[in-house]
Amino acid sequence: MTTASRSTVSRAEATGRAGHVADVESLRADFPILERTINGQPLVYLDNAATTQKPRPVIEAVRWYYEETNANVHRAVHTLSQQATAAYEGARAKVQRFLNAAESREIIYVRGTTEAINLVAHSFARPRLRPGDEVLISAMEHHSNIVPWQIVTAERGATLRVIPMDRSGDLLLDRYVDLLTDRTRLVSLVHVSNSLGTVNPVAEMIRQAKARGIPVLLDGAQAVAHHRVDVQSLGCDFYACSSHKMFGPTGIGALYGRAELLEEMPPFQGGGDMIRSVTFEQTTYAVLPHKFEAGTPHIAGAVGLGAAIDYLMALDRDSLERHEADVVDYAVERLRAEPGVRLIGCPTRRTGAVSFVMDCAHAHDVGTIVDQAGVAIRTGHHCTQPVMDFFGVPATARASFAFYNTRSDVDALVSALARVRKVFA
Amino acid sequence: MTTDLSDLYQQLIVDHNRNPRNFRVPPDANRTAEGDNPLCGDRITLYLHVEDGRVLDAAFQGSGCAISRASASMMTQAVQGKTEEEAGRLFKAFHTMVTSPATAPPDTGDLGKLAAFAGVRAFPARVKCANLPWHTLHAALAAKTERVSTE
Ligand SMILES: Cc1ncc(COP(=O)(O)O)c(C=O)c1O
């Protein structure tokens, strides 16, 4: 059977099982790249945890910015600069609404989640940590939520502690409670795991930390594309996310921080835009959020991020969340039924990602072979080496989803896996 | 450009992946080197027994993808009995072949069976898998003790 007829058949099946697929088909048309073919096959993009594709309004917004409004921000009285500043600050207000922060000055533009976490490590944790203090992370962190803490704890004579998990990929919550002590200065926790797909019970975990007066940072890189996030109702102190994982441009992201904490924190980098006045003797810093935004920012990126948020917020996110859950459940079900395929982790609540290994082939070979069928998945350790060590595998193959994926994408992956078995039979 | 999987996973390569030769720790090894490929998790330890400038034995341990495993297996076969200089020349010839453009026929010179790896040229992400054992050999011959990494 050819690929074309296979996907038509399975698309029809999918429609029969899940009535909302029609909407998704029209949303797919907003993403020009999804029309591409790869190795002669229609692209099946299942690497959304690495980065998501961009809808036309985002691409247009970036183009519009450069064609119509390009100027530096906050620096000149001329009209273009004012318009660029308005677009840049307007996007900040969109991020504020998207995360439901109380004020827009609580939104700091950064390069992405990695820089957001480094900012908190540098400007919040470093000045506070004393020898013997502890920073608490979890067993399923991305390297970007491990290494910055290793650096600052080592420098300050503090200790990095790790909340363990079980074989399902769920954190051990009773152990978490025990790890919250008088020495804990910060909990920095992944909201949704990029390699296991685990959605951590963050609301409850934040409540437990806050009950002891311990601040909490959430790494929301994998959460924002899938769920509505409300930093005020979560009660977290910091929230980090990347634009490129939520349908916006690369090179920009946001750190939410409670104003009270951000006010107390020293700057992250020094330079232009982050000052109020400079003499050779003394510099006074600008007010929030500019204190943390030294140098010319990624203005076009911010504009694109604003457009991504407009796009997302105009969608019926509840129904897309249901659709995505249906596709992910279907992927789990089909992969579980595949001979020689073993899923890594089966968390209580899962979003976005399904990791697996095959008996007959290393993940890397799986990745190459399914790519020949047009199916893009990620293979490797996913920047979570401790997770690989915990499960005793060198690498996994990971399919990760966005709302524009369908059951037929899963079918394409599963038939490509049959080719893997054939090569190594 | 479409690429053919059977160019990459040739029968010889699939066979060496399934039944790697010289997959052991030789008791009289006097040179070792480790190689890893952090992005994909390939890891290899190479053991050589070198005497009077000649590779008397070559073997490996480790885990990795089919390409890196088959490459290590076939490399250990190829260098046994060779002088260090000959093994070094083989390293260069192999490296040149797998990094040459896929559009022209490969220069397989004296590579013999190793020519099977010319197929990786059409899969740029996999060139480093084929090369990993060879870089590790290069380090072992130079008696470098540190870890080599292809990235
Ligand atoms: C859970 C998680 N945290 C942090 C990051 C780092 O994000 P970025 O590379 O955009 O800074 C990622 C991205 O891979 C991630 O999945």
Side-chain angles (χ1 to χ4, degrees):
Chain A
M1 207 192 313
T2 67
T3 306
S5 65
R6 184 205 63 218
S7 68
T8 317
V9 169
S10 52
R11 202 151 269 169
E13 278 171 10
T15 314
R17 268 181 275 193
H20 45 254
V21 167
D23 307 330
V24 170
E25 283 304 318
S26 69
L27 290 177
R28 286 177 68 87
D30 294 337
F31 292 79
I33 208 168
L34 296 180
E35 280 150 37
R36 262 206 70 170
T37 58
I38 300 286
N39 295 314
Q41 309 287 335
L43 167 65
V44 173
Y45 187 74
L46 295 176
D47 195 15
N48 293 285
T51 199
T52 52
Q53 299 302 349
K54 319 306 173 201
R56 204 167 267 115
V58 168
I59 299 166
E60 283 300 311
V62 172
R63 201 179 57 88
W64 166 82
Y65 169 74
Y66 281 124
E67 285 187 1
E68 307 273 340
T69 323
N70 177 57
N72 212 327
V73 290
H74 304 137
R75 290 193 180 173
V77 296
H78 63 73
T79 305
L80 267 191
S81 175
Q82 307 240 322
Q83 288 177 351
T85 305
Y88 179 73
E89 292 302 329
R92 193 191 308 275
K94 291 174 188 178
V95 179
Q96 177 206 341
R97 282 197 296 280
F98 183 67
L99 297 176
N100 194 33
E103 308 172 62
S104 74
R105 68 191 180 117
E106 296 182 311
I107 303 299
I108 314 293
Y109 285 128
V110 286
R111 275 193 300 133
T113 307
T114 304
E115 190 173 72
I117 297 171
N118 277 277
L119 191 160
V120 176
H122 180 275
S123 295
F124 180 77
R126 176 183 273 147
R128 274 157 218 256
L129 287 175
R130 301 281 172 272
D133 284 351
E134 294 177 357
V135 171
L136 186 55
I137 61 173
S138 86
M140 60 177 82
E141 300 305 328
H142 187 277
H143 295 167
S144 62
N145 199 25
I146 302 175
V147 184
W149 306 116
Q150 288 174 329
I151 293 171
V152 288
T153 53
E155 188 190 307
R156 308 298 295 166
T159 307
L160 188 58
R161 297 261 170 189
V162 181
I163 311 159
M165 65 175 163
D166 62 20
R167 301 292 297 178
S168 310
D170 285 320
L171 293 179
L172 300 178
L173 297 176
D174 47 343
R175 298 285 296 282
Y176 168 62
V177 175
D178 293 341
L179 283 163
L180 294 171
T181 71
D182 298 343
R183 293 184 298 278
T184 316
R185 291 291 160 264
L186 180 73
V187 173
S188 190
L189 181 67
V190 70
H191 190 169
V192 173
S193 155
N194 65 310
S195 49
L196 300 168
T198 312
V199 184
N200 285 312
V202 289
E204 176 64 5
M205 294 176 80
I206 291 167
R207 206 186 50 70
Q208 287 162 326
K210 302 299 290 187
R212 306 197 59 131
I214 302 167
V216 180
L217 180 159
L218 286 188
D219 168 353
Q222 298 297 341
V224 284
H226 308 284
H227 302 293
R228 261 195 284 263
V229 171
D230 179 336
V231 290
Q232 293 188 78
S233 76
L234 282 172
C236 58
D237 297 277
F238 299 102
Y239 198 93
C241 57
S242 301
S243 153
H244 72 98
K245 292 184 197 286
M246 48 179 282
F247 316 105
T250 55
I252 185 110
L255 171 68
Y256 156 78
R258 274 203 302 121
E260 191 192 330
L261 298 181
L262 292 175
E263 292 278 16
E264 290 168 15
M265 288 158 54
F268 179 41
Q269 293 173 335
D273 281 344
M274 53 77 72
I275 49 89
R276 177 172 294 153
S277 78
V278 177
T279 66
F280 286 115
E281 289 69 40
Q282 200 189 355
T283 292
T284 47
Y285 301 127
V287 295
L288 290 178
H290 311 293
K291 178 170 85 175
F292 292 105
E293 294 177 5
T296 300
H298 186 7
I299 309 164
V303 170
L305 169 60
I309 289 173
D310 285 343
Y311 179 82
L312 265 176
M313 289 179 77
L315 299 175
D316 177 355
R317 293 194 79 194
D318 291 333
S319 93
L320 289 180
E321 210 175 308
R322 281 195 301 277
H323 160 74
E324 226 185 284
D326 170 74
V327 173
V328 171
D329 287 349
Y330 180 66
V332 168
E333 179 193 317
R334 291 232 40 200
L335 288 168
R336 201 170 263 154
E338 271 298 282
V341 170
R342 180 162 62 91
L343 296 188
I344 300 298
C346 57
T348 308
R349 242 190 106 203
R350 183 199 292 271
T351 270
V354 185
S355 260
F356 61 95
V357 293
M358 290 185 82
D359 290 343
C360 67
H362 188 276
H364 212 184
D365 298 307
V366 176
T368 294
I369 296 171
V370 303
D371 179 59
Q372 288 298 297
V375 180
I377 59 171
R378 171 90 186 267
T379 59
H381 54 59
H382 320 293
C383 296
T384 55
Q385 274 181 1
V387 173
M388 303 295 112
D389 292 345
F390 177 81
F391 284 97
V393 292
T396 74
R398 177 190 68 188
S400 58
F401 298 85
F403 61 77
Y404 44 62
N405 290 120
T406 62
R407 285 182 170 222
S408 76
D409 292 340
V410 175
D411 294 334
L413 169 65
V414 171
S415 19
L417 295 182
R419 291 173 70 165
V420 177
R421 281 195 298 276
K422 207 167 137 221
V423 167
F424 290 103
Chain B
M1 186 178 69
T2 55
T3 42
D4 193 344
L5 273 179
S6 57
D7 287 345
L8 180 65
Y9 296 106
Q10 298 194 14
Q11 210 43 54
L12 192 63
I13 292 177
V14 170
D15 172 60
H16 274 263
N17 171 53
R18 192 175 301 128
N19 302 304
R21 323 297 199 267
N22 303 312
F23 191 71
R24 57 189 163 81
V25 184
D28 39 10
N30 54 6
R31 304 247 188 111
T32 69
E34 286 186 25
D36 76 346
N37 210 330
L39 260 193
C40 31
D42 295 339
R43 242 170 235 180
I44 155 173
T45 307
L46 181 71
Y47 304 90
L48 299 180
H49 179 200
V50 181
E51 224 140 275
D52 300 330
R54 197 170 281 280
V55 180
L56 300 183
D57 196 7
F60 76 104
Q61 292 274 279
S63 71
C65 66
I67 303 301
S68 70
R69 207 161 131 106
S71 176
S73 169
M74 289 169 67
M75 177 189 80
T76 52
Q77 285 190 318
V79 298
Q80 274 176 21
K82 295 261 185 322
T83 64
E84 288 187 66
E85 215 190 325
E86 289 165 343
R89 274 206 296 276
L90 214 48
F91 160 75
K92 280 207 190 74
F94 186 86
H95 189 264
T96 306
M97 174 186 76
V98 295
T99 53
S100 65
T103 42
D107 175 6
T108 55
D110 301 326
L111 286 168
K113 282 197 254 178
L114 297 171
F117 289 96
V120 301
R121 298 178 312 153
F123 297 82
R126 307 307 300 275
V127 170
K128 62 184 186 299
C129 308
N131 257 333
L132 176 67
W134 288 91
H135 281 291
T136 313
L137 172 77
H138 191 61
L141 288 175
K144 274 200 232 147
T145 46
E146 76 265 32
R147 200 169 209 176
V148 301
S149 179
T150 55
E151 286 164 85

